[in-house]
Amino acid sequence: VKDYTGPVIGDAFGAALDAYWRGTKDAQLLIERDDGFIERNLPSLYFAPPDELDEWDAWALERATGRVLDVGCGPGRHMAVLQARGFDVTGVDPSALLVGICHERGLVAVGGALPELPMDLGTFDTLLLLGNNLGLLGSREEAQEVLAGLAAVASPAAQILATTVDPCPDSCASEHHPYHEANTAAGRLPGHLMLRARYRNLADPWFDYLLIAPRDLEELLTDGPWRLADYHGSEGRYAVRLMRR
Ligand SMILES: C[S@@+](CC[C@H](N)C(=O)[O-])C[C@H]1O[C@@H](n2cnc3c(N)ncnc32)[C@H](O)[C@@H]1O
């Protein structure tokens, strides 16, 4: 093997979606897991029109109320739906490229990342974590900080509407099972993923992304600022509404 330096660490996810947005419709976005598992991800998903939203994100959007913050908004597909419905909606995302696309689409978005969201935006009645962004809870340990960070920008009666994947639904025979088991053996939640996006010569810095079963979510929420108020699930995927305690 030659002495290459490996991928350049940068905003691979943002760059892939930006390339797609600017006309490279075959931009190849990959998601890499720390055990070497690699999967293709389609940039087009993040620009899906309202009638192609999946049923869990659609369930969540139906329940939006008041002033809305879309956390990890990406290029803004959920914001576009709510803005068209007359909502006051703001997005926050760490990717300057994705925030820039939101602006080009006429959406309000700012740079920022959990667990310390910008504090100069005021408070919000609905916080969205869609497109599986409940994963931004990160890990059992990080989750408490993230839940507190969300509470810091929430109005007193605020709700979180979030979607995710149950890593171990009834039949747990998938190719991901050994990864989940290794996590459990190491004392981590089974769906505690370490991921990074890859695009051309770019790789994101590794980040934690948590797929969580409903019962583990309830346990994580014990004693924190949020309680589970509503659940809509099928086929191993689900949406939740969390209310402030
Ligand atoms: C799976 S994408 C979902 C994007 C969008 N919600 C959607 O469904 O189209 C995850 C998004 O979260 C953003 N993100 C990553 N880490 C974050 C953090 N710590 N806080 C807020 N957003 C984050 C990424 O830049 C990316 O745009």
Side-chain angles (χ1 to χ4, degrees), residues 193-239:
L193 313 183
M194 192 175 278
L195 303 175
R196 63 180 185 177
R198 300 288 302 269
Y199 176 62
R200 296 175 68 92
N201 66 331
L202 289 175
D204 286 339
W206 290 103
F207 61 92
D208 295 314
Y209 205 68
L210 186 65
L211 307 184
I212 188 164
R215 65 177 176 285
D216 289 332
L217 177 64
E218 283 201 85
E219 203 178 309
L220 267 190
L221 297 175
T222 314
D223 300 332
W226 302 96
R227 66 178 171 83
L228 184 60
D230 207 353
Y231 164 92
H232 173 75
S234 57
E235 299 161 32
R237 296 190 55 191
Y238 67 96

Side-chain angles (χ1 to χ4, degrees), residues 13-184:
F13 185 76
L17 269 54
D18 188 66
Y20 177 89
W21 172 247
R22 292 184 204 291
T24 307
K25 296 302 177 200
D26 61 351
Q28 301 290 312
L29 171 64
L30 299 172
I31 305 294
E32 180 184 7
R33 200 171 62 192
D34 61 338
D35 64 337
F37 185 88
I38 292 182
E39 200 164 45
R40 195 166 161 214
N41 194 238
L42 292 176
S44 58
L45 172 77
Y46 301 97
F47 295 92
D51 60 346
E52 286 178 23
L53 285 178
D54 67 46
E55 73 165 86
W56 305 277
D57 281 351
W59 180 94
L61 287 177
E62 283 300 318
R63 284 154 181 78
T65 53
R67 189 163 182 246
V68 180
L69 182 68
D70 187 350
V71 181
C73 61
R77 61 178 164 146
H78 302 109
M79 291 163 68
V81 172
L82 289 186
Q83 188 159 298
R85 290 184 194 165
F87 281 86
D88 170 359
V89 53
T90 301
V92 60
D93 200 286
S95 166
L97 288 170
L98 298 178
V99 167
I101 296 174
C102 287
H103 294 167
E104 287 177 42
R105 300 180 75 187
L107 302 166
V108 178
V110 298
L114 284 164
E116 286 176 28
L117 294 173
M119 293 304 292
D120 54 354
L121 301 172
T123 59
F124 296 86
D125 307 302
T126 296
L127 306 170
L128 301 177
L129 291 168
L130 301 185
N132 296 331
N133 260 355
L134 188 63
L136 295 177
L137 290 179
S139 65
R140 186 188 272 126
E141 294 71 30
E142 281 175 50
Q144 299 309 330
E145 231 185 312
V146 170
L147 291 164
L150 291 164
V153 297
S155 65
Q159 60 174 347
I160 296 174
L161 298 167
T163 55
T164 188
V165 173
D166 182 347
C168 289
D170 296 341
S171 106
C172 214
S174 81
E175 61 194 332
H176 305 296
H177 190 50
Y179 187 88
H180 299 151
E181 281 205 319
N183 269 338
T184 306

